[in-house]
Structure formats: C-alpha cells, structure tokens
C-alpha cells in the first residue's frame, strides 16, 4: 500500500557556460533568466595556457569573495579538461593528479553544488577512479557529476596506461564506460551521472537503460534542437518523450550553447514541454516519496490508523472495480426479479469502503443484501458504527472480530475483502481468506477470487543504494540484512530489464484447505542487452470477479489506481548481466505456525546465496 | 616474515561404509584397524523400503544409547540418497524436504563429526541449497560434507524443476556444480567438499583448481587402485602426486570399497605414500599456521622481540645467500692481494646474523673489513654488544640509531640490509635504504641491490573466508575493512590461477633520491579455465648482488628458505572468471609524510571498487 501527496514538481534548469571571463556577470545573467544553476569552468580561462604548472594562484580570480556562499551553492564547477590522469607517462600523470586534487579541494572549499568532469571515452580511467575515491574519502560533502555523452561515434584516443584493446570497436558504448566507472567508485551515491543528450538517439532499450542510472544532471546542447516554421527551437518527438522521463527523475537540465547565443527560447520550450507533460499511467498517481523505501504494512499485527484509512479510501479506481465485481456477482447469483436476500460478508471492513461498494452494488443490481462488516481493529469499529447509524440506516451488522476465528452460523453468499499487498499475498491474504472461508456457503463467491504475484528483474543503482542505507525504525533482529527484506517504493529511477512474469497464484475459495500456502517457482528471463541487476520489482494482478480485475503489473495496470506502490525485492550484491544470457530466479513462499516468509536465490548466470533463509531477516507475522 | 614449528602432521583415515547393519560392530572394526573416522548411512538399511513415510521411528536403531557421545564425534553420517529435493512435483518434493530436515536435525542431535550428502549431478539444486542454508541457520554446530565426484562421464537424469539445458553437454563439469552450490550457500565455512577420486584423472589445471576448494574429506574408492606384482594395491604416479597434495590439506581420506573387502592393505599403502612424501619445495619449510592470516610486521614502529629474531636467524638459506653475495662484492671491490680495508655497514642489524655473514665473507674473500652494525631496537643492541665481545673480538662497531637519521662521516663501501617483507617493499625497505644511502660511498654497493614484488591471482575459498572472519588485535579504525588489508599467510588450500607477474621494482642505490617511491602498474592475466578469483598472492624476488638472489616467487623459489610466507591481498567480493577472459589489475604504491600504502582495483572482466582509497583501512607507518 502506498501514500500520496499532491505537491507538483518544480523543474530545475541551468546553463552550461563554456567560458566565464566574468563570474559576477555570469551569475547576474542567470538571475535575469530566472534559472537555478550555472555550470562553469573552475579554472579561469586566462589561466589555461600555463595550467600545467602547479602554482595556480590565478585561481584567486574565482575567489570566494566574489560570490556569496549561497550563490556558490547554485554553481556546478567543471574541472580542467586537459588533465591526463591515466597517461602511461608517470611524471605528467602524477602532476595532473596533483592538479586534480587541488581543483577538487578548492571546489570543496567553495562548497559548490557539484563538481563536473568528463569521463574519458578511451575507457582508460582506473587512476581517475582512484582519485575520485580518494577525494570522496577526504571531502565528506562533495558531489561529482560525471559527464557522459549518450552516444559516441568514434573511439577515444589512446595514449594511456590501459591496453588499446579496451576499445577496439568503431563506436563506444558509453553506458558501459559509465557503468565500469560507477563500479570502480563502489556505486558511491555522490558519484552521479550528467548525461549529455545527442541529436541521434539510441534505441528504446538503451534509452530505458540510462533511466536506471543515477542521473542528476542532463546536458542538452542547442544542437539537438530543430527549428519550427516560426523559427523557434523544438525537439523531435522521441527527444520530447525522453526528456519528459528525465523531468520525472528530478534531474537538472543544463542547456549548453554557443557563447552569446540567446538560449531563452530553449528554456521556454522545455518549460512548455514540461507543463504539457501528461505523465504516463505508471507515474500519474502521486508525487513525492520517489525511490524512498518503506517497509510493507503488517495489518495482522499492527492496526492501521485513521490517516492511512482516509488516504486509501480516496482511490478513484479500486472501489469502482469492487462495486462492479459485487454487482456482477449479485446479478449472477439471483434470477432476475427474484426477491431473495443475499448475505455479503465484508471481512477486514476497515472504515467501510467495501460496505459502501456492497450497498451500491445492491442498488445497481436490484438484489437485496444483508451486509456483515467484520473488523478486528476496535478503533475502526467506532467509525463503522457511526457510518451504520448515519449513512447505512443500521442495515449493516458490524462485528468486532478476527475473520479467522469468528463463528458464523448463517454462512454468506459473497465474501468481500481487500487484503492484498503490493506483491499480492504479502499481507497474508491467503491465510486470512482460508481462515474466513468457513463463513462462506459451499457455492459462495470470494471477491477477489484469485490473485497472482509478478516479478520483473530491474536495474536501479538508486534503489540499491537506498536499500543498503536503509534504517528501519523497527527493532533490529540479530542477523537482519537489508537485502533480505521486501520494500514498497514509488519507483522512478529504474530500468525494467525484462517484462514481468507471473510467480504465485492463489484462488479463493479452495477445496484443499488442509494444504498450506507454500510455493516454489523458478522463473527464467532473457536478457536483451548488457545491464546490471539490482533486484526485482514485485507486482500483483487480482481477479475480483470474472473479467473484473485490479492490477499494478505494468502491462495490465489499472490506470489511476494509487493504493499500491510496487514491491522492491533486493539482492545482496549487484550482478552484471550480458546480452543473450539467461537470468534464472528461484522464489519460495514458506510458513510455520507463527509466520510466513519468502526466500529467493539466483542460479543463472551465476549462483547467488539463498536470501532470507529460515526468515532470519524478514517475515510476515500471522499473530 | 613467517613463523615455523616442527610438529609433524598426523594423517586422518576413515572408511566409507555402504551399509551398516550393526553399528557397534562397525565401530569395533574401525577401532581394530586403528583409523579415526567412520562414514555410515544415517538411516538403517532395513528402513529403506518404506523410507518415504515421515514416520521413521526405526531411526531408533541408530539411537544415541548405542554409542558413546564421543564416538559419534568420529562418525560422518550420510543422508538418504533417494531424497528428491528439487523435483518438479511439489508433493514429493515437500515430503522429501521434511525427511531431509528430520535427518539433519537427528544428525545434529547426535553431534556427529559431519553430515554428508551427494550433490545432484543434473545441476538441479536450488531447493537443496535452500534447505542447507536453513539447516545451518537452525543448527549452529553442524558441518556438511558435500560429496562430489572429481569427474563425471554422463550427465545426470533430469526430472527436476530446473531446465534441462543446464546440462546439455555430454559430460558434467562437476567443479562448476560444486562452485555453484557453494555460492548458493554463501561460501559458508561449514559447507565443505568431500571429493570423490576417479580412476581417470582430469588434466593438471583442473586438478590444481580442486585444491583451491575447501576439501575436508576425500573418498578414495578401491577401484582407483592398481595391483602391483606382489598383489598389493598401489596408485598410479599422478594419483600419488595428487593424494600427497590432499594430505597437505589435512583432509580425511575415506577408503570406499565393497562390503567385506579387506581394505587394510589400502590404508597401509596410503600411509606408506604419506610417510615417504617429500613435500615440494613450497611446502617443505614449515608445519602449522596453514591458511591462518597474520598481519605483516611493521618493524619501523614495532620493535621485534627476541623470539622473532631467534626464529628467523635459523633460516638455512637466506644467510648463506647473503654470505655469498657479500663475498662476491668484496672480491669485486678489491684487486686480488690488496690489503685495502673495506667498510661494511649492516643497517637494521638485529642480533647480528648479517654481521656474521659479513665477517664470514671477509674470511672467504680474504678481504679485510671494518663492520658497523646499526640497529634502532635498543633491546637487540644488548645482544649485539654481547656478540661483539664474545664472538667478534670487538671488531664490530655497534651503533644504536635509526639508519635514516644516523650521521656517518666515513661512508661505507657496502651497505647490507634485510628489510624485505613478503611483498618486497611492504616493510618499507625503499624508504629505509633511501634514508641510509647517505652512509654509502658514491661507488658503493647495496646488498640487496634490487627487489621486485610479484602478483598472482588466486582462488581460495578458505583464505577468503578466513579474511572475512579475521579479527585483528590492533585497534579498529573507523572505516577499516578486512578486504583492504594485506596479510601474510602460509598458503595451502589454494589454486594459483595464473603465474606470477612482476609488479614494482626498486633499485639501490639510486640517483633520483628527490623522487618518491610511488608506483602505478597495470597487469593483465590470461585465464586458462573457469574459476573464482578470491584475491592475489604477493611474493618478492631480490637480487642481493649480481646473480645471487633470494626469492619466494614460485618459479624462482629459494628452496629451503622459510623466513617469508607469501602475502595475501584480498578483494571485497569474489569474481567469477571464465576461460579465455582477461583479468586486469591495477596496483598503486602511494605515500605521504607519515605513511606508505597500497591501493588496488580490477577493471576486467568487470570493474571493482578501488580498495583502500587514501589508506582508509591499512597503511605502513614511517614513524
């Protein structure tokens, strides 16, 4: 289940200055334009000719006295481009390493927003990676923006210490370079991607893969724009679509143009695109909480509070679908014109949205119903009783009980519940409904009648880092590992490596109640392109009744429904996947008398340890 | 530097019983033979026909009352072979999983020495791996012996939940199966290998690779033996060589034969092989401390104690080589028959072994010398003075000083030192000798005159696990990581993936003293077969003088020299390497005013984080 806010996102714009003779004038221009960030060379242009000396007192021309401290906070500085940090010649290399250190140290002192440098396109960068690691160790609060072009026609030059075979093909896969560099920096959260857009876009798979990287800045050269009939800059349709996804990631967009070029029309055009952006269905339902991990609710052991009920009751789709499903079931049960009264039990009634749906369905189907509302949360019972008196004409029987233990002589025709978690069964709907099945007549109907969990492999350095840094406010167990816990998360900064596949299905009612709800399934995913596995997205698709579904699985998503964020199921360490390889995943649902849990492992392309053996880190409590 | 003991290793023998109708008689037989371990089926043979029921009260026939508790400690139990833990059919699979749990639980209760099971040769084992993980979580003190044949002609049958493509080739690479299983168990130290020897041995590379696995038991079927002219069992020469290496690993050797076969001659033959084993040069110099990690000495900040000096002075090779080198240098310096007196400075003289070598060299070369012994450890000075009075006729000038700061007007002809660590420069010989170089005449000779560190990639789950579990007795630094520390270790249970390559070379004396001793080198290793990288072995080869060397690098090893164990340089997480891939390693030697340190990273086949950036975990102190 998910939370929602209504805040509207602010777009971040900046300008990429190639040369800044006068810093004060540059910032003034930025303020006039009304944009947030300036990207400037750290070293003054006039210093360039003798920048190879270690005495760089002319850096004083950028001295902190010129700008106020808070203005530096809006400046991204670019390190000198001529530094040869992986040169075979050790004396030049060592000198340039010292220059690099000086520049980073000075930028850190200025407390700039970020430090930008270009990734060498010849792939020769172990020493650069080392220097970045050292800088991160020495300066706690710096952020690096690593500038990488989205595509690169030719391979870079090679006079470095690396073998030239690193780069023997005609074109450079810049994603691989970035990915290797990022790994060499241990996927540090302060080493972010500044993606430089190109006029020719790569194919959709490659575009999507970039979206799984921690993009914090986007460089949009004016050269990627077209000119429309009226003479104004516009973007091709594919560029528009891609840049809208970058807006969603909250990346800062830097226009990069010729000196003295009037770039205002470019900003205006991008603002126009942003304001007219109808985010796609997956992203439309909420703002806020992007990529923030939350522990799933455990409704069997924790009572929900009033606020949670209030938020979820606002879902515009879910209760419509329930109402349709109950209407159809009532109609199917009773011959037209009959005066038979059907019994509906709403189990886990909460504050009553499914009672409303049942009463509405009765009106629509013209089938009379007797409704029981069963709820174990004694606080919610007050609201149910209030609603019964004030809105339901005391026609509803409110019962304070656990559906699994309540005794009911009469038996009902329809058992309605909303017990699903993001990953389908992960809030223990199977166990609850098995327990409540005794309330149902032999030919009775369960709504939902079945549900299936789905799994997609995903790449997301951001989710993976957030998982590793996650601090739960629940008490830490002895062996608890963050990677052996399931999360719910409003996923943005990620790439779905392969479409979701069905994992576990549960049907209600079922005839083999003596069997447990344990499951073991193996899924095999084909890998379309080189990428990095950081875990799995988990979804569900539920059949409420016959053809009426609710789903958060992307291919069948119930547009507009916001009650569930997807689940994130992490792995302990990231896995490099190669094009045409297979990824084989094993997933178990297991239980004992007090709890239910998942275990998972990977056997292809390489074996990974079994995660969460014997529920050592994570379980869902039955009592 | 290394320690040595003289304890002689005891061989562990056992017998693998296929069927044990009478447990007491079986143990009695074992005692009669005088061997240590029995490997028996956990479940009594008569139970086999109905072993698929969950009621296995007949297990009582193995009840703990039959044997004393300490006898169970010499028993390895074999789990039932018919368990189908990865069957597609879930009801059989779940039932067999419960039988597996019961058997492991019972074995754990009996406190047996180890629990053995066969690895399924169809490669279908994710659920088995899961159950082993769970068992390890539930039972703290159990050990699993995973029985794997060294080679396997046919592929296994496949009715499992896994795809049949896991195993499409005609033969099964059983190492890959073991490696995958081991990974799925997170390389748990209680999941060990029981290697079953075959009549046909694989090639040498594959044999060597097995030696990098945690082999705790070896199954030697009587069928792998030949019969000699006298009618006694013997092994082929390659089998003898391999089994001798297994003795070195301290593995228990289980003979596996027909029931009622007289196996005594097999034990006697293996004992004979063991007793006649001349361990090869790498392993001959010491027993004890196998695969135990030690932190390298830091002689510049910690004074050595008397015991350490005493052990190292016993090295039978090192001081011979020094004596030869000094003799040759003296001879070269002085024309035959000259009466010139040469000055020799022994820097870091310790208790004086190199003073002895210098005086002996003077005798042999008939070149008169004046010897200075410079030592900063004031405790060792007492011994130097004592030796000077009692053995050296007060001909030696003993100086209590740090060689880097001592002022010496006279200057010497030969500067002798023994400052090398296992990894060459890692005890800061370059910095010490640079500091001492002012003691030397312009045309003076340094002994050693140069030294080179060497690096080999290695596979060793044992070293890797020991590294992860390592607890230093030095104070923990803020960010200390075990994988960013260098160790010295008497390596046994390991596989050298590729021959050592030279890394850093230092020459003495040198003309460019104003430069630091920083280095950056990239090495590329070709991978011969699939394997797992767990880090690197570090060695040195030193030129004492001209053609006189001391070396612990395997291809040039100074046979008999025991003063140094190799260095182990770990990596944070193991890397799967494929045949014909390249492994590219980057190694830095770096320094500031107070310390020297290494950083290292890998850029091929995939990028790894830079290890030990800015010496955050490990450094060698100059003061």
């Amino acid at each position: 289940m998910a939370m929602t806010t209504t805040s509207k996102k602010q777009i971040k714009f900046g300008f990429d200055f190639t040369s800044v003779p006068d810093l004060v004038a540059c910032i003034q221009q930025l303020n006039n334009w009304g944009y947030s960030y300036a990207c400037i060379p750290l070293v003054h242009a006039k210093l360039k000719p003798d920048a190879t000396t270690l005495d760089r007192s002319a850096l004083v021309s950028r001295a902190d006295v010129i700008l106020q401290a808070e203005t530096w906070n809006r400046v991204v500085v670019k390190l000198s481009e001529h530094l040869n940090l992986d040169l075979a010649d050790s004396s030049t290399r060592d000198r340039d390493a010292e220059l690099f250190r000086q520049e980073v140290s000075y930028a850190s002192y200025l407390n700039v927003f970020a430090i930008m440098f270009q990734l060498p396109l010849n792939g020769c960068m172990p020493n650069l990676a080392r220097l970045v690691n050292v800088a991160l160790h020495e300066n706690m609060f710096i952020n690096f923006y690593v500038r990488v072009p989205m595509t690169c026609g030719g391979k870079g030059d090679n006079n470095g210490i690396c073998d030239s075979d690193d780069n023997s093909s005609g074109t450079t896969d810049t994603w691989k370079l970035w990915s290797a560099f990022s790994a060499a920096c241990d996927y540090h959260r302060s080493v972010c991607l500044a993606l430089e857009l190109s006029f020719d876009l790569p194919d959709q798979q490659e575009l999507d893969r970039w979206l799984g990287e921690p993009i914090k800045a986007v460089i949009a050269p004016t050269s990627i724009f077209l000119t429309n009939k009226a003479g104004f800059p516009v973007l091709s349709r594919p560029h528009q679509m891609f840049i809208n996804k970058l807006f969603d990631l909250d990346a800062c967009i830097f226009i990069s143009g010729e000196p003295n070029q009037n770039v205002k029309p470019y900003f205006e055009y991008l603002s126009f695109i942003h304001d007219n952006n109808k985010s796609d269905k997956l992203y439309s339902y909420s703002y806020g909480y992007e990529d923030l991990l939350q522990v799933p609710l455990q409704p069997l052991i924790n009572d929900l509070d009033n606020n949670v009920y209030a938020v979820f009751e606002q879902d515009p789709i879910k209760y419509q679908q329930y109402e349709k499903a109950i209407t159809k079931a009532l109609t199917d049960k009773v011959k037209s014109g009959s005066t038979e009264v059907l019994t509906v039990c709403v189990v886990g009634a909460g504050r009553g949205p499914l009672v409303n749906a049942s009463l509405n369905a009765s009106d629509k189907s013209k089938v009379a119903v007797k409704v029981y509302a069963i709820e174990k949360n004694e606080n919610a019972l007050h609201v149910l009783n209030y609603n019964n008196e004030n809105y339901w004409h005391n026609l509803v029987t409110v019962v304070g009980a656990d559906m699994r233990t309540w005794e009911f002589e009469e038996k009902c025709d329809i058992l309605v519940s909303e017990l699903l978690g993001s990953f389908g069964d992960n809030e223990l709907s199977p166990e609850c409904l098995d327990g409540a099945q005794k309330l149902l007549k032999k030919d009775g109907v369960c709504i939902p009648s079945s549900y299936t969990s789905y799994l997609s492999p995903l790449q997301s350095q951001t989710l993976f880092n957030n998982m590793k840094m996650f601090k739960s406010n629940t008490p830490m167990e002895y062996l608890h590992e963050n990677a052996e816990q399931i999360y719910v998360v409003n996923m943005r900064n990620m790439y779905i490596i392969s479409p979701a596949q069905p994992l576990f299905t549960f049907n209600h009612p079922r005839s083999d109640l003596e069997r447990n709800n344990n499951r073991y399934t193996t899924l095999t995913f084909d890998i379309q392109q080189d990428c990095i596995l950081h875990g799995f997205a988990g979804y569900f698709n539920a059949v409420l009744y016959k053809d009426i579904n609710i789903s958060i699985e992307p291919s069948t998503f119930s547009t507009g429904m916001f009650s569930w964020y997807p689940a994130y199921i992490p792995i302990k360490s990231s896995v490099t996947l190669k094009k045409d390889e297979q990824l084989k995943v094993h997933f178990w649902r297991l239980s004992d008398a007090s709890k239910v849990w998942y275990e998972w492992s990977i056997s292809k392309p390489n074996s990974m340890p079994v995660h969460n053996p014997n529920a050592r880190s994570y379980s869902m409590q039955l009592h």
Side-chain angles (χ1 to χ4, degrees), chain A:
Chain A
M1 289 195 266
M3 306 290 282
T4 183
T5 71
T6 52
S7 66
K8 180 75 181 162
K9 214 176 270 173
Q10 198 60 28
I11 189 165
K12 289 182 198 151
F13 277 127
F15 187 72
D16 177 29
F17 293 88
T18 48
S19 170
V20 179
D22 183 339
L23 186 54
V24 173
C26 152
I27 298 298
Q28 188 58 50
Q29 189 174 23
L30 198 73
N31 288 336
N32 292 345
W33 286 341
Y35 303 120
S36 312
Y37 297 96
C39 185
I40 66 164
L42 175 64
V43 176
H44 195 281
K46 72 181 181 195
L47 193 67
K48 279 283 160 63
D50 20 71
T52 55
T53 73
L54 291 175
D55 173 19
R56 309 172 93 196
S57 50
L59 276 170
V60 172
S61 65
R62 293 268 186 268
D64 43 321
V65 290
I66 295 184
L67 298 183
Q68 289 178 299
E70 59 266 35
T71 306
W72 280 113
N73 257 302
R74 294 165 51 202
V75 172
V76 173
V77 294
K78 295 187 277 190
L79 302 184
S80 294
E81 285 176 29
H82 58 79
L83 301 180
N84 281 305
L85 303 171
D86 278 275
L87 215 59
D89 168 38
S90 70
S91 65
T92 307
R93 190 182 68 223
D94 290 350
R95 185 204 61 206
D96 283 9
E98 173 57 19
L99 292 175
F100 180 92
R101 192 199 62 74
Q102 283 182 7
E103 291 193 15
V104 171
S105 170
Y106 187 55
S108 171
Y109 165 74
L110 291 175
N111 203 15
V112 298
F113 187 68
I115 300 168
M116 188 183 283
F117 60 86
Q118 301 246 8
L119 201 63
L121 296 179
N122 60 5
C124 191
M125 53 200 184
N127 203 41
L128 169 61
R130 192 190 82 71
L131 292 165
V132 168
N133 272 275
V134 167
L136 290 168
H137 186 251
E138 283 185 335
N139 308 279
M140 290 289 277
F141 300 110
I142 56 174
N143 284 297
F144 284 108
Y145 283 180
V146 185
R147 187 166 181 157
V148 182
M150 187 174 236
T151 57
C152 174
K155 57 176 171 175
D157 58 333
N158 199 319
N159 51 1
I161 197 167
C162 309
D163 299 350
S164 55
D165 68 353
D166 279 337
N167 221 349
S168 50
S169 71
T171 59
T172 302
D173 183 342
T174 55
W175 177 81
K176 277 190 199 168
L177 292 182
W178 155 253
S179 184
F181 184 77
S182 184
C185 296
D186 212 2
Y187 302 109
H188 198 291
R189 55 199 306 122
S190 297
V191 178
C192 301
L193 176 59
L195 186 66
E196 190 166 349
L197 303 184
S198 54
F199 186 79
D200 294 316
L201 291 182
D203 68 29
Q204 192 59 45
Q205 278 275 0
E206 286 184 47
L207 283 175
D208 289 346
R209 187 175 58 185
W210 282 117
L211 299 174
E213 300 299 338
I215 300 177
K216 293 286 182 210
V218 174
I219 322 290
T222 54
S223 59
I224 67 165
F225 289 79
L226 309 168
T227 305
N228 70 4
K229 286 176 193 163
F232 286 105
V234 292
L235 284 173
S236 73
R237 184 92 196 111
H239 278 92
Q240 288 176 43
M241 287 172 63
F242 187 66
I243 215 159
N244 267 325
K245 289 182 180 162
L246 295 171
F247 289 148
D248 276 337
L249 295 188
D250 210 25
C252 180
I253 316 285
F254 288 91
I255 298 282
S256 159
E258 298 296 312
N260 305 319
Q261 190 177 7
N262 176 15
V263 292
K264 228 179 159 203
Y266 297 89
F267 287 121
E268 286 165 351
Y269 174 70
L270 290 179
S271 298
F272 168 80
I273 291 180
H274 175 254
D275 295 341
N276 285 273
N277 174 26
K278 305 232 188 321
S279 284
D280 71 87
K281 57 180 180 179
L282 256 180
Y283 295 157
S284 65
Y285 54 92
S286 68
Y287 294 99
Y289 299 100
E290 285 89 348
D291 297 322
L292 287 181
L293 306 189
Q294 298 173 269
V295 172
L297 297 175
Q298 296 233 10
L300 294 193
I301 51 167
N302 303 122
D303 284 333
L304 305 187
D305 69 28
N306 199 42
N307 185 51
V308 173
Y309 284 124
V311 168
F312 289 127
E313 285 169 16
Q314 290 166 34
D315 193 303
I317 307 301
K318 184 167 73 167
Y319 297 108
Q320 274 180 26
Q321 292 297 94
Y322 267 95
E323 192 178 307
K324 281 186 204 168
I326 302 166
T327 304
K328 200 167 208 168
L330 290 172
T331 308
D332 284 354
K333 276 271 171 202
V334 172
K335 288 185 193 109
S336 180
S338 162
T339 55
E340 191 185 345
V341 177
L342 295 186
T343 305
V344 176
C345 278
V346 176
V347 288
R351 307 197 311 179
L354 288 181
V355 174
N356 276 329
S358 301
L359 294 171
N360 292 346
S362 171
D363 284 350
K364 289 205 173 150
S365 62
K366 312 266 190 292
V367 175
V369 294
K370 187 172 181 201
V371 177
Y372 288 84
I374 295 95
E375 175 55 49
K376 71 165 177 51
N377 179 350
E378 61 181 17
N379 307 301
L381 289 173
H382 301 312
V383 185
L384 282 174
N385 284 322
Y386 176 86
N387 287 343
N388 199 17
E389 278 171 37
N390 290 279
Y391 304 112
W392 302 331
H393 317 294
N394 284 315
L395 294 176
V396 174
T397 307
V398 174
V399 180
D402 187 313
M403 71 180 85
R404 293 170 292 177
T405 50
W406 183 50
E407 296 294 334
F408 182 50
E409 285 303 310
E410 189 184 336
K411 309 299 174 197
C412 66
D413 298 283
I414 301 178
L415 187 72
V416 187
S417 66
E418 50 168 338
L419 304 167
L420 296 179
S422 298
F423 198 34
D425 57 279
N426 71 302
E427 292 183 12
L428 306 185
S429 180
E431 284 71 17
C432 292
L433 291 183
D434 285 355
Q437 191 173 312
K438 64 182 184 303
L439 310 179
L440 189 65
K441 289 179 185 165
K442 278 220 150 45
D443 64 345
V445 167
C446 261
I447 294 177
S449 63
S450 82
Y451 36 87
T452 301
S453 52
Y454 282 78
L455 209 64
S456 259
L458 67 75
Q459 170 182 315
S460 172
Q461 193 177 307
T462 299
L463 288 179
F464 192 68
N465 272 338
N466 289 350
M467 178 275 292
K468 286 195 286 188
M469 307 277 290
F470 186 77
K471 285 221 165 50
S472 169
N473 49 11
T474 56
M476 209 76 158
E477 283 171 57
Y478 175 56
L479 266 166
H480 179 86
E481 284 201 37
N482 281 353
E484 298 190 335
Q485 150 87 46
I486 285 182
Y487 303 88
V488 291
V489 50
N490 182 5
M491 296 183 179
R492 294 295 164 94
N493 192 179
M494 57 118 188
Y495 160 54
I496 291 294
I497 292 170
S498 187
Q501 293 185 22
L503 185 66
F504 303 139
T505 296
F506 300 86
N507 294 293
H508 297 285
R510 64 185 182 111
S511 55
D512 56 346
L513 272 182
E514 73 286 357
R515 297 201 62 180
N516 59 31
N517 284 300
N518 290 4
R519 298 281 191 282
Y520 170 34
T521 300
T522 293
L523 298 178
T524 304
F525 298 92
D526 293 321
I527 304 308
Q528 308 295 326
Q529 64 178 345
D530 292 4
C531 56
I532 312 286
L533 180 73
H534 290 114
F536 301 89
Y539 312 102
F540 76 87
N541 184 347
V543 178
L544 295 183
Y545 182 72
K546 292 190 170 169
D547 61 336
I548 300 168
N549 285 49
I550 52 176
S551 170
I552 64 165
E553 190 277 306
S555 72
T556 55
F557 188 77
S558 303
T559 308
M561 191 169 70
F562 66 65
S563 292
W564 293 272
Y565 292 142
Y568 171 49
I569 300 126
I571 49 176
K572 286 182 195 179
S573 47
S574 62
V575 176
T576 301
L577 297 174
K578 302 277 183 199
K579 187 178 194 305
D580 297 330
E581 275 183 344
Q582 284 193 323
L583 169 66
K584 188 179 279 192
V585 186
H586 307 275
F587 227 96
W588 291 265
R589 187 184 201 267
L590 299 158
S591 59
D592 63 18
S594 66
K595 61 189 185 294
V596 176
W597 69 95
Y598 303 110
E599 301 185 19
W600 58 101
S601 74
I602 292 170
S603 65
K604 275 189 174 185
N606 294 313
S607 283
M608 273 208 117
V610 175
H611 287 59
N612 196 35
N614 224 17
R616 70 172 173 197
S617 295
Y618 171 67
S619 61
M620 300 157 281
Q621 300 299 313
L622 284 162
H623 308 290

